[in-house]
Amino acid sequence: MQRYSENQAAGGDDPRRLFAFNGGFFLQKRLRRILSLAGYELRFGRPTEDDLIAIWGNSPTAHRGRAMSEKTGASQLYVEDAFLRSLFPGRVGKEPPIGLLIDNTCPHFDPSQPSDLEHLLKHEPLDDTVLLNRARGAIERLKEASLTKYAAVDLDCPAPDPGYVLVIDQTRDDAAVTASGADRLRFQEMLVLAQEENPGAHVLIKTHPETQSGARAGYYSDADTRDNVSLFTDSISPWVLLDGAIAVYTVSSQLGFEAILAGHKPRVFGQPFYAGWELTQDEFPLYRRQRRLTRAQLFAAAMILYPTWYAPCRDQLCELEDSLEQLAAQSRAWQEDNIGWNAFGMRLWKRKPLQGFFGRHKALTFDKRRSARPAMVWASKRGPEGATRVEDGFLRSRGLGAELVPPLSLVCDDLGIYYDPTRESRLEQLITKRASLRPDQLLRAERLIKSLKQHRITKYNLGGTAFDLPEGHRILVPGQVEDDASILTGTTDVKTNLDLLKATRVANPNARILYKPHPDVESGLRKGHIPREEAEAYADMVLDQADMATLLDEVQEVWTMTSLTGFEALLQGCKVTTLGAPFYAGWGLTHDLGDVPQRRKAQPALEGLTHAALIDYPRYRDPVSGLPCAVEVALERLATGEIPHPGWSNRILSKLQGRFASYQSLWR
C-alpha cells in the first residue's frame, strides 16, 4: 500500500506505464494484479524514457529488459517474490505469490550497489515503537505458525537430535548465489570451516525445497556426506531445525535471515541483504554497511516496509499481518489435509462444503470401511475410535445449518469436541494456553471483539424483529434444541427450555425475563418448543423471530444451559450465568451453577478465550475465493453479506425437511 501511494504521488492519478520483455509478467495473473494494485500498468511495446521496464531479478530473460533500457533511457524496475511466498516454490506447486519485492534500484540480493532495501536498512530511523512492536509480534507469529517462504512444512517430521551444526545449501547458480560471487568451491569451503570450527559436532546439510522436489540441483550431494556430515532433506519447519542448531553457516539463503530471527548469529559466506548489520559473522563484509541493527529493526525493514503484500481473498494490497495470516490459514489446511481424510457420518448435503474445507489437496473419501487415511466424523455421529471430530464453528453463516446453509467455519478436534465436557477437548487446551497472550495476540483479539460488536455478528446472523422491551433489569434466556449434543453431554439437572425458564425466574423474581426460542425450533426443524402460555408463566416476553445481536445490546444478563449465546453475551459485556458446562464456563468469566469440570483451572481474560475460540480452534473458508482464510475475512463476509446463496436443490430440500421435521435424523 505504501508503494501504491508513492507511485501515485510520482505519476498523479494515472498508473506508471511498465513494459516487460519476460512472458511471465503477462502469463501470471496474480503477478499482473499485484503490480496493477501497486500503481503500475503493464504493457507491450517500446517504452519511452519516462516509462519503466520490469525485470524479474536476474532471470535468464533479464538481459532483454536491460538492453531495451539502454536503448530507450527507460528506468528499470526489479521485481521478485516476497520473503513469504506460498506453500510451494513456483516451479513446483505453480502457486502464485502473496507478495512482491519491487525495487527501483536493483534486486535485494545484488550487493553490487545499494538496493531500496539496503537504503531502508541504512537510513530509515526504524525507531517507531508501533512498527517495532509489529515486527516483534510478527516474528513470534512466524515461529508459532511455522511459516517460511515455502510454507508446506511437515509439523510431524521428527527433529534431529539437537547439538548439530547447520550448513544451508542453495540451488545451483541461483541469482542470490552468483550475485555474491559464490560457486561450488565457496560452498565446499563453508562445509570445511563448519567442521573445523566445531570439532566433534555433527554437521547437518539442509537441502533447498526445490532440490528436495527434484526441480533444481543443489551444491551438496551424497558425495559430501561422511561419518559426521549428513544431508537433511525432510520438509521440516525451519524454526524447529534452527532451534536444535548450535551454529549456522550460509552463503545467502533466506534461512540465514530466519536464523537471525531465531536468535543465531550465522556465519555468512556471501553478501545477502541481512549481512553487515552486526547480526551476522561476515566472511566477505560490505564496508558500506556500518549500521548496527536489532533483529526487530532488520525485520521491520525487510518484511513490513519493503515488500508489497497482497490479500487474495479481498483482492487488495494489505499489510504484512494480513498476508501472514492468509499464508498461515493455507499452511494449516495443507498440514492437516495433505494425507487426505476418510469421512464418516457426513450427510449428502454436507459433502460438497466438506470437500471445499478439507479436500483442496486430496479429495475426501466417504468409505464406511477402514482406510489407511486418518478418519474424521461429524461430532454427533459414530465413527472409528480415535477419529477427529468435526463440527460447525462459532461464526458459522448467514442462515441455519438445519436449513442446509453451508458453513464458513468448521472445527476439528482430535481429543474430544468443544460441547462435551465429559472429556478434555482441543479447545480446552487452547483456552488454557491463552491464559497469557503476547501483545500482538492481545491486540488482534481486542480488534476482533470490537469488530464483532460493531457489526453485530453472531453464529447464524439471521436478523429479525425488533421489540419494545420492558424497563428494568433484563435477563435474556436463549432457548436451545433440547436433543442437541451440548444438552445431552453438558447438562445435569436442567435439561429443557422450560426448566431453564423456571430456574431463571426462581433466582430472579423481580427481573424482566425475555425468552427467545432457538431458530431451529422456531422453524419446526428441531425439538425444544414451549407452548406460549407455559413460557409466559415465567417470562415477561417471548421474542419470536427476534434479532439476537440487537437483544444482546439491550439486556444486562444472559442465563443459559450451554448456548453459544452465552459466549456472544460475554463479548458484548453482559453478565452470564450457566446451568450446564459450555466451553466458556469454568474459566472465571461466568457465574457457573452447572457441573463444570475441575480440570478447567486457567484464568484467561476475555481476549484469551476469544483468541482460542475464534482464532486458534476453527478453520475458515472464504466463500468468495474458495481459499482457506483468517477469521477477519470470514467476519467481513458475514458483515457485508457477500456470501453466495445455497443452490436451488438445497433450498428445496430445506423446505421439504421442514414438512417432515419428525424425520430429522435423515439430515442431521
Side-chain angles (χ1 to χ4, degrees), residues 124-188:
E124 188 73 18
L126 300 175
D127 59 359
D128 181 74
T129 300
V130 173
L131 175 68
L132 296 179
N133 284 341
R134 287 178 61 196
R136 295 183 187 100
I139 291 170
E140 293 306 311
R141 181 63 176 135
L142 287 173
K143 297 176 184 177
E144 179 183 55
S146 293
L147 294 182
T148 183
K149 185 171 186 176
Y150 308 121
V153 297
D154 184 1
L155 299 185
D156 295 325
C157 178
D161 294 334
Y164 47 83
V165 174
L166 186 62
V167 174
I168 304 169
D169 195 9
Q170 293 176 247
T171 55
R172 191 177 294 271
D173 298 326
D174 183 77
V177 174
T178 58
S180 287
D183 54 15
R184 176 166 169 76
L185 290 178
R186 181 81 60 84
F187 278 83
Q188 290 300 315

Side-chain angles (χ1 to χ4, degrees), residues 3 11 26 55 121 130 203 228 280 305 319 325 330 375 385 469 490 521 586 608 634 659:
R3 291 190 176 278
F26 299 99
I55 296 176
L121 291 166
V130 173
V203 177
N228 67 332
T280 54
L305 299 180
E319 301 291 348
E325 293 304 333
Q330 293 178 212
E385 185 70 24
L469 302 178
V521 175
R659 293 180 177 273

Side-chain angles (χ1 to χ4, degrees), residues 81-83 101 103 107-111 115-119 121-122 176 180 251-258 260-261 268 270-280 282 286 288-289 293 295 297-303 306-307:
D81 289 328
F83 299 126
L101 306 178
D103 201 300
H108 69 86
F109 54 75
D110 184 355
S115 66
D116 291 352
L117 175 54
E118 184 174 331
H119 187 273
L121 291 166
K122 190 172 183 178
S180 287
V251 171
S252 58
S253 170
Q254 183 179 316
L255 191 51
F257 172 51
E258 293 166 342
I260 295 172
L261 305 181
V268 178
Q271 295 175 324
F273 74 89
Y274 53 82
W277 314 108
E278 298 195 29
L279 294 168
T280 54
D282 299 325
L286 268 172
R288 67 173 185 262
R289 299 179 185 174
L293 297 175
R295 294 183 178 90
Q297 288 174 319
L298 176 66
F299 185 91
M303 296 291 285
Y306 183 53

Side-chain angles (χ1 to χ4, degrees), residues 1-2 134 303-304 309-311 316-324:
M1 293 193 296
Q2 183 181 24
R134 287 178 61 196
M303 296 291 285
I304 297 176
W309 296 108
Y310 175 71
Q316 64 187 31
L317 299 188
C318 63
E319 301 291 348
L320 163 67
E321 291 84 352
D322 299 308
S323 285
L324 191 156

Side-chain angles (χ1 to χ4, degrees), residues 350-369:
K350 293 179 179 179
R351 295 188 180 188
K352 183 177 179 180
L354 287 168
Q355 288 286 9
F357 264 93
F358 305 116
R360 285 181 57 83
H361 301 285
K362 190 167 289 187
L364 273 71
T365 57
F366 300 92
D367 192 341
K368 295 181 179 180
R369 298 168 298 179

